[in-house]
Amino acid sequence: LKAPPLQGSAGAARFSFKTMPCAVCEGAGRLLLNVCPLCDGVIGWPDAEELGYAMSADASATFARASMPTDGMSILSWNLLNPDTIGLANKDNPHYNHLQDEERFWEHRWPRILAEIQLADATVVCLQEINKGLYEEIRDALGSLGYASVTHRKPQRNCLAIFYKSDTAAKVWEKHVRIKGFEKTLAVGLKCTGRVLAVVTCHLEGHPQKTAERLAQLEATFKEVKELQHEGIVIAGDFNAPLAEDGRWSAVSAYLLHGMIPNGTTEWGRDVVVPLGTLQPHGYAFESAYGPGPVFSISLHGEGPSLIDHIWYSRCLALAGVRDVFFDASFREEVLRHGLPNKQNPSDHLPLGVVLRWL
């Protein structure tokens, strides 16, 4: 017997359980924070002193929050928390008014951000919420680590940027998609190991009720990128939508998986109905690197956690590894109690990472 996979998933088998009924959860797959430790890949349970969590359906693919493996194309994605975020500096925002200065201010956070990027040593780094006045500082610091970069031609309040190791990847093209005066996505074609990979980073519409805008931003990006040379595609960033909720894919996830929105889809608890013919299929076959379960990418003080940062890849690529967003179990529990950022994680988002190989 298998616990039910997420409904409506083209890749549903990736999230089904491959064991006989579990003696602890009796096949329900729900015990510990929506995941059963025996049948859903919690590493080391119950014997290990530190409890680890599987980031994807394949528990063995999870690697530590440390240096990225070098046997493939590694991608790190991180929303940096723009220091101009409303209420962050003056303590007017209840999500941040409990923070110490070392957790709050950029001059303390930036060295730790840079240290994490240097430690990860990824082939590609996708960054969101870059303050436009700080971009040059960030560009120069990553340049000293061997990264070239692509960003907006006209800076905006929350900038996107894609950094890539110039000794292992070469830029073939870049694409700027502007919708209603803003660029919510940024794309670059990178030649890696002889083939061109399209890398897209995003910071989609943030209002929970504006699902249609998030979908339109993705649709417009795929329409532009499809015309450019590439053999595979990765989209990584802040989607401002949960990967899944209530056992079903969110609208953004459903669109990436199916190229359309099935009946019964919700996002942030609201029904999403897209009239037939108003949303064009993107034409790709995507998989999510991270799986539903105990993983999350944001946890604000006073709010519950959510996995709103994603990494999706086309199926001409193989997932070789998924980076743990947590340092250990105690770090995870501390984040759930007090929220982000903290001294270990200098942003209100956790960094995501994958290693991919060409098939």
Side-chain angles (χ1 to χ4, degrees):
L1 294 176
K2 296 181 179 179
L6 285 173
Q7 300 177 39
S9 167
R14 291 178 58 83
F15 299 106
S16 61
F17 306 118
K18 300 178 181 179
T19 62
M20 294 299 289
C22 169
V24 176
C25 73
E26 296 181 346
R30 298 284 178 110
L31 181 69
L32 179 67
L33 294 172
N34 296 327
V35 62
C36 172
L38 289 186
C39 67
D40 200 34
V42 173
I43 303 166
W45 190 91
D47 296 321
E49 292 183 5
E50 291 290 350
L51 181 65
Y53 295 93
M55 298 292 105
S56 70
D58 181 2
S60 65
T62 302
F63 60 87
R65 183 168 167 174
S67 297
M68 306 278 273
T70 58
D71 56 343
M73 298 174 289
S74 54
I75 299 172
L76 184 77
S77 180
W78 204 1
N79 179 316
L80 299 187
L81 177 58
N82 190 331
D84 282 347
T85 297
I86 295 172
L88 176 61
N90 58 17
K91 304 184 182 181
D92 286 344
N93 190 322
H95 294 319
Y96 308 113
N97 60 14
H98 67 292
L99 298 176
Q100 300 176 26
D101 286 354
E102 292 85 355
E103 300 166 320
R104 178 188 308 279
F105 293 115
W106 180 256
E107 59 263 33
H108 301 292
R109 296 195 295 116
W110 166 236
R112 294 197 289 271
I113 289 170
L114 181 60
E116 174 102 29
I117 294 171
Q118 185 172 11
L119 172 67
D121 196 29
T123 309
V124 179
V125 178
C126 299
L127 299 180
Q128 306 89 45
E129 273 199 39
I130 298 174
N131 181 288
K132 64 181 180 180
L134 297 171
Y135 172 73
E136 290 186 1
E137 174 187 8
I138 295 170
R139 180 202 61 196
D140 292 347
L142 268 66
S144 70
L145 301 178
Y147 289 98
S149 61
V150 174
T151 191
H152 314 287
R153 294 191 181 100
K154 181 179 179 181
Q156 54 192 38
R157 179 177 177 272
N158 283 318
C159 291
L160 301 165
I162 299 172
F163 298 84
Y164 57 94
K165 285 288 186 72
S166 55
D167 60 347
T168 55
K171 185 178 75 170
V172 178
W173 51 261
E174 62 182 78
K175 192 66 182 179
H176 305 262
V177 182
R178 200 167 185 85
I179 301 176
K180 297 181 179 179
F182 294 97
E183 294 181 8
K184 292 292 189 176
T185 63
L186 178 70
V188 62
L190 297 175
K191 193 168 188 179
C192 303
T193 62
R195 300 166 75 175
V196 178
L197 176 69
V199 177
V200 181
T201 193
C202 65
H203 189 193
L204 301 184
E205 168 60 46
H207 195 295
Q209 297 180 18
K210 294 186 177 181
T211 299
E213 282 82 348
R214 285 188 284 276
L215 295 172
Q217 289 157 6
L218 289 174
E219 178 188 28
T221 301
F222 292 135
K223 182 179 179 181
E224 297 281 349
V225 170
K226 282 191 72 173
E227 303 301 317
L228 301 170
Q229 178 191 0
H230 62 287
E231 296 169 75
I233 183 170
V234 174
I235 178 165
D238 181 352
F239 289 73
N240 271 315
L243 183 70
E245 57 186 10
D246 299 326
R248 299 182 69 95
W249 299 107
S250 68
V252 162
S253 297
Y255 178 60
L256 287 163
L257 279 168
H258 308 300
M260 48 83 71
I261 309 300
N263 292 333
T265 299
T266 64
E267 194 161 284
W268 297 120
R270 297 171 61 90
D271 291 336
V272 178
V273 178
V274 177
L276 189 65
T278 60
L279 183 66
Q280 297 301 311
H282 49 66
Y284 295 103
F286 279 114
E287 293 277 5
S288 172
Y290 287 78
V295 61
F296 56 84
S297 63
I298 189 169
S299 184
L300 297 176
H301 184 64
E303 287 190 7
S306 185
L307 182 57
I308 65 171
D309 301 87
H310 313 170
I311 299 179
W312 296 80
Y313 61 96
S314 57
R315 293 179 192 161
C316 61
L317 297 161
L319 182 65
V322 183
R323 194 175 192 249
D324 201 333
V325 298
F326 310 124
F327 292 107
D328 51 36
S330 62
F331 168 81
R332 183 180 187 276
E333 294 307 313
E334 175 68 15
V335 169
L336 289 172
R337 280 193 299 268
H338 299 293
L340 291 168
N342 60 28
K343 292 179 181 178
Q344 284 184 283
N345 191 90
S347 172
D348 58 355
H349 291 246
L350 298 169
L352 276 58
V354 297
V355 178
L356 301 166
R357 300 191 190 109
W358 294 108
L359 288 175

